Amino acid sequence: MMAHTAFARAEGDKGDVAAGGSPQGAVLPGVIASRDDPDEIVVTANRRGEAKVAAETEFGEEEIASRGADSIQDLLTRLAPFIDGGGEEPVILINGKPAGFDRSILSYPAEALDRLAVLKPDAGTLYGETAGRRVVNLVLKKNFAMLNADAAADYATAGGQYGGTLSVRRTAISGDTRWNAQARVGADSAFRKTARDLPRQGGVFDSVGFVSAPGGGEIDPALSLAAGRRVTAAAIPPGALTGTPGLDDFAATAGDLHPVDPNRFETLQSSRRNATFGLGVVRPLGDFSVALNLDASRSSSDGLRGLPMASVVLPAGHPWSPFADDVALTRPFAGARALRADNEATSLGASLTLTGNIRGWQTSLAARYAHSQTDNFLESGIDVARVQQLIDSRDPAFNPYGLWDEGLMIATRSRTKGENLSARFNARKTVIDLPAGPLTWNLTANTGRNRTQRRESDAAGNLIASNSVTRSQSSGLMSLSVPISRDDATEPGWLGDLTVDLSASAQAMTNSRVQKGFGGNVSWSPWPALQLQGGIEYADAAPSFDQLDAPIVTTINRIFDYARQEIAEPAWITGGNPDLKRGRRQSLTLTATVRPLGNQILTVNLGYRQSVAKGGLAVFPELTPAIEAAFPERVTRDAAGRLVAVDARAINLARDTNADLSTSVALRMALGAGERRGETAGDPLQLNLSLNHGMRLKSELLTRPGVPVIDQLRAGGQSRHSLSFQVSIGRRGIGGNLSGSWSSPGRLRGGDGVFVFKPPLKLNLSAFIEPDRTFAITGKKGLMSGLKLSVDINDLLNGYRRVTREDGTVPAGYSRNEIEPLGRVVRLTVRKKF
């Protein structure tokens, strides 16, 4: 446990009383007489907000300020390489206590932190999580208050897309009482195909419509005579919208066509709008602490899917046809009206967390209620068969040239409502004090009930399908942390620091058997500069509420269809899959952490992980020929073989085997400042560098029994090597950060050929400045007071994943703009503290 140490020199005779009223030389709790100097007293006390497990790494106030993060969530993102190289979200403690469902802490300004501590790897089991999962302790300042407003604008440097956000936040902390409120709105423009040089979709696109001969050639000799020339196409006359047109009307529009670029009616990225509000209040309640959080959000997106065109036959003698022969009528649904793909989502939530000590048990009880609603509307085209049926019925009330009823559009409208009530209870207690430290017992129980209602209808409102599902889920985890040996300054352990963590879990869900899990983790530090850790885990894997019953959302996804060697834009279906089955997984993890300098300046991590999942749950992988062959029911094609829809909901895999080797180096230095006893002097320049390398040793996928195993490294497009880095330098008031990632080429066997994927070097640059601090602006508060300017550049080099065949040629659909049309994006943020 970390302790704060104060040194006090006692003056006077031996009979004097030292600070605190104790006779000189007496040892009281928290007061230790120095062995080196009998007149020096060392007073020790736990630091405010300290966790029960010692910190492996700490970031102080100066280091936090040098990162320029606007919120704790932003700070955790920037510090991710120093927390967990695997990218898993850490467990959050607030002042040493579990956060429970309190997510409002993530929206607090980073300035509210006194320090951020990354606990040792064995802390996970102590707080009711799996062994090895990282735990972060957020220690807030004892007194803090801030009101700030943020405005941000972002745009693609190649043009065509822009957006912005505006937020207001108020935060106040007074001892153990705190509250935070934040409101945020944002919007992004639609990113249309016309913003980039992209190939046009094949077919005829006309904004008005026209008639022509079904097999080509002359429409009607009488029409040609009236027009004074041979007529092969004639636009729909303006008067045909309300009345029956004659030959003279078509003669006036003979040869007139109104072609349009279909890319004008398609978006690569939908326009988006969102609004969120959050309120969190924490205060003491006797010996306990209670936290109440309320949150609400609403988002919507509007996308365009192209210009809907219909081609039907208007037979001779039809009431609306003045022609002697059959003619082909080609027209849009309604002028420049495009197909729509719209989504709306609304959520409301509330959580209550109670923490405190009950008869030696450190307890935490959290409950949360959430309500969500998702509306999805997707148009896929005109119901040509229905239109032709209306024409063939010769109904004089149906005008084939006029406005068509919306019911003639093929569309689906779905609404999903969900309610979730969940609770979590965690209790831990020291069972017995062993020579090496306390043996800690931890119990965690989770329970939840989820109800989902879904209704799907067509464009006319006719019911297609509806269902309602209610599920309950309960789980429990018991862990035991057993210290074998402890190395400290007073009595070195004969094995150094050695701790064994054991865990057992069980989970039950509606209509499912109990799933069991077991795990063990050993943490050993034979010397202060070396930390070794090993863990094994075996668990039955059951799908979560979201994997089973999440709202069904249908969007349009632009992918490469390997079967036809072309770019396709199928309907992409995501959401819950109630047919998921449970599986099981087992894993082995070995890690080593070396600090050769004996402090936090330089850290080297080595890790190995092996996992095997049988019948496991997985997101739907890239649609390769092998995946389509394994899951043919998930893929829909039309009569011509074109890709129409993909059901991309989660799947069960027969077996998924992976083995990875990871290496990371982290360097943290404070430059240009001396040190006083117990603290760093001045405002030093903070330098942080991290370098992470991952090597995938094995990645094999068996989709179903009886089919060949897919070697993802040899034929599945996966990269064997991945590299990422981050360099940041700054101090309070000014700083910058450069991060990057790279992966080695991958090979994918698709159709009759092999595709080679060459990922780019992706660089992201960010910088910030606070003018009043940087330029030491003093005097009355003005425009520059409390002002912060930030710039973030995503994809600095404007790179893209290059795809070629083995012979080096670029396949159709893999040009620069087709793979990654958005390119470099710049974001400018202005933040003002009041």
Side-chain angles (χ1 to χ4, degrees):
M1 183 180 299
M2 300 292 292
H4 180 72
T5 305
F7 295 85
R9 174 77 60 181
E11 302 292 345
D13 299 331
K14 292 182 180 180
D16 292 345
V17 176
S22 174
Q24 186 75 0
V27 179
L28 298 178
V31 181
I32 303 173
S34 174
R35 297 177 182 178
D36 298 330
D37 188 344
D39 291 331
E40 186 178 80
I41 297 175
V42 182
V43 181
T44 62
N46 294 335
R47 287 195 298 172
R48 179 178 178 274
E50 198 70 11
K52 295 295 183 181
V53 178
E56 179 183 71
T57 303
E58 277 197 359
F59 296 88
E61 187 177 348
E62 296 297 333
E63 263 191 288
I64 292 172
S66 72
R67 291 300 184 123
D70 290 332
S71 66
I72 292 179
Q73 176 72 75
D74 185 20
L75 178 66
L76 290 173
T77 301
R78 298 180 186 223
L79 294 180
F82 299 90
I83 298 174
D84 181 13
E88 184 179 13
E89 183 178 354
V91 179
I92 301 297
L93 306 181
I94 306 173
N95 292 337
K97 300 176 182 179
F101 294 121
D102 183 3
R103 307 301 293 175
S104 69
I105 189 66
L106 300 178
S107 65
Y108 276 48
E111 292 92 332
L113 286 174
D114 180 67
R115 65 185 186 276
L116 182 149
V118 183
L119 306 189
K120 290 185 176 181
D122 56 352
T125 54
L126 189 64
Y127 293 98
E129 300 293 339
T130 56
R133 187 172 177 188
R134 302 315 300 259
V135 180
V136 170
N137 184 25
L138 306 175
V139 182
L140 301 173
K141 292 177 179 176
K142 191 170 184 179
N143 293 286
F144 177 82
M146 191 171 89
L147 170 64
N148 68 280
D150 297 61
D154 56 78
Y155 62 94
T157 57
Q161 202 279 332
Y162 55 90
T165 60
L166 178 64
S167 65
V168 179
R169 175 176 56 203
R170 172 64 173 170
T171 305
I173 303 173
S174 178
D176 294 328
T177 300
R178 66 178 188 273
W179 68 275
N180 178 74
Q182 182 181 31
R184 181 182 181 276
V185 294
D188 293 288
S189 69
F191 181 33
R192 297 185 181 238
K193 277 190 174 181
T194 49
R196 298 292 182 269
D197 183 16
L198 291 169
R200 292 176 47 172
Q201 180 182 348
V204 177
F205 297 91
D206 192 279
S207 62
V208 174
F210 60 91
V211 294
S212 60
E218 188 177 31
I219 297 176
D220 188 334
L223 176 62
S224 298
L225 181 63
R229 64 182 185 277
R230 187 171 183 267
V231 180
T232 59
I236 297 175
L241 295 176
T242 56
T244 304
L247 280 178
D248 291 341
D249 296 314
F250 280 100
T253 61
D256 291 347
L257 296 177
H258 302 81
V260 293
D261 181 0
N263 286 358
R264 286 174 45 199
F265 307 92
E266 289 190 63
T267 53
L268 296 168
Q269 179 177 291
S270 302
S271 63
R272 296 177 298 224
R273 296 160 300 282
N274 60 80
T276 61
F277 173 78
L279 173 65
V281 180
V282 179
R283 62 167 299 161
L285 186 64
D287 294 332
F288 292 85
S289 175
V290 61
L292 175 65
N293 290 276
L294 305 174
D295 57 86
S297 67
R298 180 175 178 83
S299 63
S300 63
S301 65
D302 301 322
L304 303 180
R305 294 201 56 206
L307 185 65
M309 298 292 297
S311 184
V312 294
V313 175
L314 200 61
H318 191 278
W320 288 87
S321 174
F323 306 111
D325 299 314
D326 295 351
V327 295
L329 171 63
T330 303
R331 58 160 290 179
F333 183 82
R337 182 197 183 288
L339 294 171
R340 294 174 294 173
D342 303 337
N343 293 281
E344 290 186 357
T346 303
S347 68
L348 298 170
S351 69
L352 183 68
T353 303
L354 189 66
T355 59
N357 193 287
I358 302 177
R359 294 186 177 181
W361 288 87
Q362 185 62 44
T363 61
S364 173
L365 175 64
R368 177 170 174 79
Y369 171 79
H371 173 83
S372 64
Q373 178 174 306
T374 302
D375 293 286
N376 178 238
F377 180 69
L378 180 70
E379 293 178 330
S380 54
I382 302 171
D383 191 346
V384 177
R386 175 63 178 154
V387 173
Q388 189 65 60
Q389 184 181 11
L390 290 172
I391 292 175
D392 293 342
S393 67
R394 298 178 182 268
D395 182 0
F398 178 69
N399 181 358
Y401 313 113
L403 297 176
W404 285 353
D405 185 83
E406 290 290 326
L408 293 176
M409 185 71 77
I410 300 175
T412 57
R413 187 185 299 275
S414 63
R415 169 170 290 183
T416 305
K417 293 182 179 180
E419 286 186 313
N420 178 267
L421 181 62
S422 55
R424 174 184 174 90
F425 176 74
N426 175 258
R428 65 183 186 275
K429 182 181 182 180
T430 297
V431 179
I432 187 173
D433 285 319
L434 299 175
L439 187 150
T440 306
W441 189 18
N442 186 89
L443 298 173
T444 300
N446 296 279
T447 186
R449 182 179 176 86
N450 195 73
R451 184 183 182 187
T452 303
Q453 295 175 299
R454 185 172 185 268
R455 174 188 170 89
E456 184 176 348
S457 59
D458 61 16
N462 301 312
L463 181 66
I464 297 176
S466 66
N467 70 310
S468 178
V469 179
T470 301
R471 300 181 194 272
S472 297
Q473 186 182 71
S474 297
S475 65
L477 173 68
M478 181 182 70
S479 63
L480 203 62
S481 182
V482 184
I484 306 299
S485 175
R486 183 59 50 89
D487 191 3
D488 56 42
T490 59
E491 189 176 348
W494 65 284
L495 285 176
D497 275 346
L498 178 61
T499 303
V500 176
D501 296 307
L502 303 174
S503 64
S505 63
Q507 177 176 288
M509 181 180 285
T510 303
N511 300 325
S512 178
R513 294 177 298 175
V514 175
Q515 293 92 45
K516 301 175 290 295
F518 309 94
N521 190 77
V522 177
S523 180
W524 181 34
S525 179
W527 306 285
L530 177 63
Q531 175 81 34
L532 302 174
Q533 187 175 10
I536 57 173
E537 181 186 10
Y538 172 88
D540 295 328
S544 65
F545 284 143
D546 282 343
Q547 290 174 319
L548 290 168
D549 303 317
I552 302 297
V553 178
T554 302
T555 56
I556 303 303
N557 198 13
R558 185 179 175 86
I559 65 172
F560 186 79
D561 182 6
Y562 294 98
R564 290 175 57 90
Q565 304 282 295
E566 65 183 17
I567 286 291
E569 296 181 343
W572 199 260
I573 303 168
T574 58
N577 179 9
D579 297 325
L580 288 174
K581 308 299 181 183
R582 72 172 190 171
R584 61 183 185 273
R585 66 179 185 274
Q586 57 189 42
S587 63
L588 168 67
T589 305
L590 301 172
T591 61
T593 300
V594 182
R595 291 188 171 86
L597 303 181
N599 51 30
Q600 299 182 23
I601 293 179
L602 180 63
T603 304
V604 180
N605 290 291
L606 303 173
Y608 171 79
R609 179 177 176 82
Q610 175 184 301
S611 64
V612 178
K614 296 181 179 180
L617 308 169
V619 297
F620 194 79
E622 183 175 2
L623 186 63
T624 63
I627 295 299
E628 184 173 355
F631 301 96
E633 73 281 1
R634 293 296 193 99
V635 180
T636 303
R637 295 182 180 273
D638 61 16
R642 289 185 292 267
L643 196 58
V644 175
V646 176
D647 184 351
R649 295 176 296 165
I651 58 175
N652 284 109
L653 296 172
R655 188 175 68 248
D656 186 10
T657 306
N658 292 278
D660 302 274
L661 188 66
S662 62
T663 308
S664 67
V665 178
L667 177 68
R668 299 169 55 200
M669 298 179 66
L671 307 176
E675 292 190 355
R676 296 195 301 262
R677 189 172 191 178
E679 63 178 346
T680 302
D683 185 14
L685 192 65
Q686 305 286 342
L687 172 65
N688 294 270
L689 184 148
S690 68
L691 181 64
N692 299 276
H693 173 258
M695 181 178 179
R696 180 147 290 188
L697 305 175
K698 188 176 186 179
S699 180
E700 293 181 349
L701 196 66
L702 177 63
T703 55
R704 289 180 177 177
V707 301
V709 173
I710 303 173
D711 189 334
Q712 299 280 68
L713 293 172
R714 293 181 179 272
Q718 280 193 2
S719 299
R720 184 174 294 275
H721 297 273
S722 62
L723 189 68
S724 64
F725 73 90
Q726 183 188 99
V727 180
S728 68
I729 186 168
R731 57 163 54 97
R732 187 186 296 271
I734 188 170
N737 182 86
L738 177 67
S739 62
S741 62
W742 171 87
S743 299
S744 61
R747 296 167 62 85
L748 186 146
R749 187 170 297 278
D752 298 328
V754 174
F755 295 81
V756 180
F757 297 85
K758 298 178 180 179
L761 172 62
K762 288 277 189 176
L763 295 181
N764 301 315
L765 178 66
S766 63
F768 76 96
I769 186 171
E770 298 177 36
D772 58 344
R773 291 185 180 275
T774 304
F775 304 112
I777 299 175
T778 58
K780 295 182 179 180
K781 290 187 176 181
L783 180 63
M784 291 298 177
S785 176
L787 189 68
K788 177 182 172 184
L789 306 175
S790 304
V791 59
D792 298 273
I793 305 176
N794 183 54
D795 194 5
L796 182 65
L797 301 180
N798 202 28
Y800 71 101
R801 186 177 69 162
R802 299 178 184 272
V803 181
T804 63
R805 296 187 178 91
E806 282 189 303
D807 59 6
T809 59
V810 178
Y814 275 112
S815 65
R816 196 270 179 250
N817 286 331
E818 289 177 289
I819 292 180
E820 199 162 336
L822 188 61
R824 185 189 302 110
V825 175
V826 176
R827 183 178 182 86
L828 303 174
T829 305
V830 178
R831 184 183 188 214
K832 174 70 173 177
K833 291 188 287 185
F834 300 95

